[in-house]
Amino acid sequence: MLSNYIKIAWKVLLRNPFYTFITLFGISFTLLILLVLSAFLDHMFGSHYPEQQRFRTLYIPSITLRDSSRTSTMKGPMSYKFLKKNLSALGGIEAYGISSLFRTTNAYVGSKRIKMMVKYADSGFWRVTDFELLEGKLFNESDIDRGQHIAVITEKVRDEYFGPGESVVGKPIEFNGLKYRIVGMVKGSPVTHPYTYADIVLPYNSPKSEYESDSKNGAYIGIIRARSARDFPSIQREFEHLTQRGLKFPFEESGMKVAHLEAKALPFLTGFIYEFFQSESTEIFFTVVSLFMLLFMALPAINLINLNISRIIERSSEISIRKAFGAPSKTILWQFVIENVFVTSLGALIALVFAQIILSIFNSSGLIPYAVLSVNYTVFGIGLLLALVFGLMSGVVPAWRMSKLKPAEALKGA
Amino acid sequence: MIKLSGIEKVYRTSSIETLALDNINVDIQKGEFVSIMGPSGCGKSTLLNIMGLLDEPSKGEVTINERQLKGYKDKELARIRNQEIGFIFQSFHLINDLSVLDNVEIPLLYRPGSGSKRRELAKEALEKVGLSNRMKHFPTQLSGGQKQRVAIARAIVGRPSLILADEPTGNLDSNMGNEILNILLQLNQEGSTIIMVTHDENMAKRTNRLIRLFDGRQVF
Ligand SMILES: Nc1ncnc2c1ncn2[C@@H]1O[C@H](COP(=O)(O)OP(=O)(O)OP(=O)(O)O)[C@@H](O)[C@H]1O
Ligand SMILES: [Mg+2]
């Protein structure tokens, strides 16, 4: 029975290769885009190396300063001191880290210039992230207190500066006219993770880090690791409260009379949206993304419905023949359900294979070093489900109506 | 075997009503070979479709093997079509996407039984119509006569007691037509009840009984 149905489904597919191509292409291409796109979104916003614990992490990406009339606004990263003062007073958290955004520097090997991204960080930075240590150690408080020029590098720097496979711990690396002794090497973070991305991480008290600046504005951002995401509201409230503590408005900052100061600790996605849209509502983001995806799926769905309906009409005589020889309406319906599921699954399978290929090509291309994109099976499941729903609606509803017809009708003339 | 009483069939389209059958009363016994004749449009196919439960009469009763079928549900009618009736159509109505063997198996798909048993029965039926060497072919690769023989194999594979044939030789030349008629006569000999619509007086003469229709009415 089943093999007879699959055989027929296969034959119908082969009978009209062009329609089949369009149908399968529609299903697979849509799912494929959906999978690749969601892999990118997941890579950008999900919890991945070295921020595997993003789901219980809060970020303080910026401070906003306004004058009393709110006509001028200054927004950007903060000073080390501002973050240190407020974060060290924060209770009930697992850890906090302070680090600068990355900055470009050049190092030279002989006459060859190597471009590198440098970040300054405190020891907490290593506690709020999960970098994989490949060699040596990460600097801790006492290392920082000794005030030596030390550095943690990634294997990318090792490969370019020392050569692949070389041992680096204890060796000096020179840039900005200064020598740093390498204490450790980690696996790098992809550039798509701006708060952890860097080729070289230096202690915050290294030269040129501007950690002693007394302004509010600066080059640093804060990261808080909560014990659990459930603690977010209380941490956020306490942090905002701390930032207002002991301020005497208005005060001077870079020539501006500051009357309002705002610094928020936000989950990654919320922070991202906040930076771009000045809104903390992730609903809008999700609505836009889902609307876009739905719209994107609507076109092939309509196409699928059309093709399905015309294909079923083509097959009215087959339906009647089967009925004439004893197929009950329900059995006919089952045949079309199975056929539809078969075709849709075929399309989904193609999409999955191609998505895996594209992502693995992307991952190994080094276009974004350290980025590991993978198929999100939840998204795949939802996409498959939608495709099945559309397929069933478009294929089975007309089949159901046809199966209700008296067989004599459709056998006439044909 | 099959009994029709007071059958009336009205086709209603938005503008016109056609009375295709008017007060038809027929009683066919087990083992008979009956022909139905009449000019084009007189209602022969309509009558055969009602006998075969492919269509419903507007009025009147159909009784098959002592069961009066008024009010039977789709599933029950499907069962009777499957177990007790085999159809042969003028234009063959084979499924072109399936091989000859798969086509012949169709009636067996809708009853219990294993795949190998189905295969076996279908091969047997094809042997009977002399087509066992064409099992793997597809309908489009066959001549008209061969197609009709496949259709006959499909009609008899489930061993129905009643075979309904609507102009089975209508699309064939007289040689082929005779061959098909001989097969049907053979089946009748073996015990099948057969009702056949035909335009051919000579063929009708070789059957047991003739029902003549004119303009939806029986003529005697
Ligand atoms: N679905 C339908 N709707 C309306 N009228 C129909 C329908 N089917 C058949 N008719 C009409 O019913 C009458 C009988 O049709 P039927 O097909 O039974 O004739 P027939 O005797 O089989 O003719 P032929 O020898 O040409 O096959 C005809 O007048 C036909 O136009
Ligand atoms: Mg007819």
Side-chain angles (χ1 to χ4, degrees):
Chain A
M1 193 75 131
L2 199 64
S3 78
N4 188 286
Y5 291 167
I6 304 272
K7 229 188 256 175
I8 264 265
W10 186 245
K11 286 286 163 47
V12 169
L13 287 183
L14 293 183
R15 184 170 58 196
N16 208 328
F18 181 68
Y19 276 172
T20 303
F21 175 75
I22 301 268
T23 309
L24 280 181
F25 183 81
I27 297 172
S28 339
F29 188 71
T30 313
L31 274 176
L32 177 64
I33 300 284
L34 212 62
L35 288 177
V36 171
L37 206 68
S38 63
F40 268 96
L41 288 177
D42 183 48
H43 170 74
M44 293 275 292
F45 301 114
S47 299
H48 298 289
Y49 183 86
E51 293 165 60
Q52 292 100 314
Q53 306 290 314
R54 213 175 237 181
F55 58 88
R56 57 177 178 121
T57 304
L58 289 172
Y59 296 81
I60 307 150
S62 66
I63 187 175
T64 308
L65 303 173
R66 293 194 182 87
D67 62 6
S68 57
S69 59
R70 292 179 184 261
T71 46
S72 55
T73 304
M74 266 193 290
K75 183 164 180 279
M78 298 137 279
S79 66
Y80 176 82
K81 280 188 174 170
F82 173 81
L83 280 165
K84 181 73 184 171
K85 173 177 154 248
N86 292 312
L87 285 172
S88 59
L90 199 57
I93 61 171
E94 191 174 298
Y96 70 86
I98 302 172
S99 60
S100 71
L101 294 173
F102 56 84
R103 231 181 260 173
T104 316
T105 26
N106 296 313
Y108 293 87
V109 181
S111 61
K112 197 180 84 177
R113 194 183 63 167
I114 304 172
K115 208 173 104 184
M116 295 184 306
M117 303 302 167
V118 172
K119 187 190 268 302
Y120 298 95
D122 66 356
S123 57
F125 177 72
W126 304 115
R127 281 197 296 275
V128 294
T129 55
D130 293 291
F131 278 95
E132 185 187 332
L133 188 63
L134 299 174
E135 202 188 329
K137 60 173 233 163
L138 305 169
F139 51 76
N140 56 29
E141 270 96 310
S142 49
D143 295 324
I144 295 176
D145 290 344
R146 274 197 291 276
Q148 295 168 327
H149 293 177
I150 54 175
V152 170
I153 66 166
T154 65
E155 76 226 278
K156 180 177 160 240
V157 175
R158 190 256 328 254
D159 291 352
E160 290 180 4
Y161 194 88
F162 299 99
E166 292 285 321
S167 164
V168 293
V169 170
K171 288 185 180 165
I173 181 166
E174 191 176 337
F175 54 89
N176 288 344
L178 286 166
K179 266 203 174 98
Y180 293 84
R181 184 171 52 86
I182 295 169
V183 294
M185 179 174 74
V186 294
K187 186 175 148 206
S189 170
V191 68
T192 41
H193 294 173
Y195 300 141
T196 50
Y197 172 64
D199 299 316
I200 298 181
V201 184
L202 304 175
Y204 67 88
N205 59 357
S206 304
K208 300 187 185 174
S209 74
E210 295 163 23
Y211 79 104
E212 283 176 304
S213 156
D214 285 317
S215 344
K216 305 281 187 258
N217 286 317
Y220 289 84
I221 57 110
I223 303 177
I224 299 168
R225 176 173 282 188
R227 293 199 186 98
S228 120
R230 277 196 305 276
D231 298 343
F232 280 179
S234 62
I235 295 171
Q236 288 173 302
R237 233 177 297 119
E238 192 186 344
F239 181 77
E240 258 186 82
H241 176 76
L242 286 171
T243 59
Q244 305 299 319
R245 182 189 49 161
L247 289 176
K248 279 201 191 66
F249 293 114
F251 60 84
E252 278 271 324
E253 169 102 16
S254 326
M256 179 173 152
K257 260 197 157 45
V258 177
H260 305 275
L261 177 153
E262 186 187 275
K264 287 175 187 281
L266 301 167
F268 185 83
L269 181 58
T270 318
F272 178 86
I273 292 163
Y274 185 70
E275 289 301 288
F276 279 90
F277 307 109
Q278 295 302 312
S279 149
E280 277 180 59
S281 157
T282 50
E283 282 97 2
I284 295 176
F285 177 79
F286 282 121
T287 313
V288 169
V289 169
S290 352
L291 263 180
F292 175 78
M293 290 200 172
L294 267 181
L295 223 77
F296 181 73
M297 287 203 73
L299 270 168
I302 290 166
N303 164 43
L304 191 66
I305 289 173
N306 257 323
L307 284 175
N308 259 330
I309 289 175
S310 62
R311 271 224 314 248
I312 298 251
I313 289 168
E314 235 171 64
R315 294 175 63 190
S316 60
S317 91
E318 181 196 330
I319 293 179
S320 305
I321 291 168
R322 288 179 185 275
K323 286 200 77 174
F325 286 98
S329 304
K330 224 162 79 190
T331 311
I332 298 273
L333 204 60
W334 264 112
Q335 175 182 350
F336 281 86
V337 170
I338 290 168
E339 248 188 72
N340 243 294
V341 170
F342 173 71
V343 174
T344 311
S345 309
L346 200 66
L349 201 70
I350 295 173
L352 192 59
V353 168
F354 273 88
Q356 299 281 21
I357 292 174
I358 288 176
L359 292 181
S360 75
I361 288 176
F362 178 86
N363 288 342
S364 59
S365 72
L367 219 56
I368 301 180
Y370 300 115
V372 179
L373 274 62
S374 55
V375 167
N376 182 324
Y377 282 90
T378 314
V379 172
F380 178 68
I382 292 170
L384 182 62
L385 201 74
L386 281 177
L388 282 176
V389 166
F390 278 125
L392 291 183
M393 270 180 2
S394 60
V396 174
V397 171
W400 178 75
R401 280 172 46 192
M402 302 268 279
S403 75
K404 288 283 166 211
L405 282 181
K406 291 269 165 284
E409 291 293 318
L411 285 175
K412 209 156 277 167
Chain B
M1 178 84 227
I2 180 162
K3 189 167 172 236
L4 306 185
S5 44
I7 294 293
E8 195 178 302
K9 178 69 182 179
V10 183
Y11 285 114
R12 285 192 183 81
T13 52
S14 52
S15 54
I16 39 164
E17 274 192 12
T18 317
L19 185 61
L21 292 175
D22 188 6
N23 191 29
I24 304 288
N25 295 284
V26 192
D27 192 353
I28 292 163
Q29 303 306 315
K30 192 166 163 35
E32 273 194 289
F33 193 158
V34 179
S35 326
I36 302 175
M37 290 194 74
S40 183
C42 70
K44 304 182 296 295
S45 297
T46 306
L47 182 61
L48 207 69
N49 287 340
I50 287 173
M51 286 177 167
L53 314 180
L54 298 182
D55 209 347
E56 258 176 335
S58 313
K59 219 190 250 175
E61 292 169 359
V62 181
T63 310
I64 293 181
N65 288 334
E66 315 299 316
R67 277 159 311 180
Q68 209 273 94
L69 300 177
K70 192 159 247 164
Y72 269 49
K73 291 198 188 60
D74 172 78
K75 211 175 141 188
E76 296 157 333
L77 294 176
R79 220 179 96 87
I80 295 173
R81 283 199 295 266
N82 182 247
Q83 312 241 318
E84 300 172 33
I85 303 174
F87 289 94
I88 303 164
F89 303 96
Q90 179 179 0
S91 44
F92 324 126
H93 286 316
L94 300 175
I95 299 176
N96 287 331
D97 291 315
L98 291 179
S99 72
V100 163
L101 194 63
D102 284 332
N103 262 288
V104 174
E105 273 187 31
I106 283 176
L108 304 178
L109 289 178
Y110 305 111
R111 47 171 91 171
S114 71
S116 56
K117 182 76 187 157
R118 282 204 297 271
R119 220 97 289 221
E120 194 185 306
L121 288 172
K123 281 179 185 167
E124 231 171 78
L126 280 167
E127 239 159 67
K128 205 158 200 165
V129 297
L131 272 182
S132 30
N133 55 343
R134 293 284 192 282
M135 289 188 306
K136 296 271 182 284
H137 284 59
F138 283 86
T140 46
Q141 302 167 323
L142 301 178
S143 73
Q146 288 171 330
K147 280 186 201 173
Q148 198 57 300
R149 282 191 279 162
V150 175
I152 292 174
R154 178 179 60 184
I156 63 173
V157 72
R159 310 246 160 98
S161 47
L162 179 63
I163 294 173
L164 302 177
D166 192 353
E167 300 191 49
T169 61
N171 277 348
L172 307 174
D173 65 35
S174 56
N175 266 340
M176 291 267 195
N178 264 319
E179 220 174 288
I180 297 297
L181 183 65
N182 287 335
I183 296 175
L184 291 177
L185 283 165
Q186 174 71 31
L187 289 169
N188 179 238
Q189 290 282 302
E190 290 167 18
S192 296
T193 310
I194 302 182
I195 304 171
M196 174 178 77
V197 172
T198 181
H199 273 119
D200 189 326
E201 290 280 357
N202 292 324
M203 286 196 175
K205 271 187 198 130
R206 295 174 68 184
T207 63
N208 308 140
R209 176 145 68 112
L210 175 64
I211 295 172
R212 281 193 188 275
L213 287 187
F214 188 81
D215 209 8
R217 270 185 289 264
Q218 272 170 287
V219 277
F220 297 96

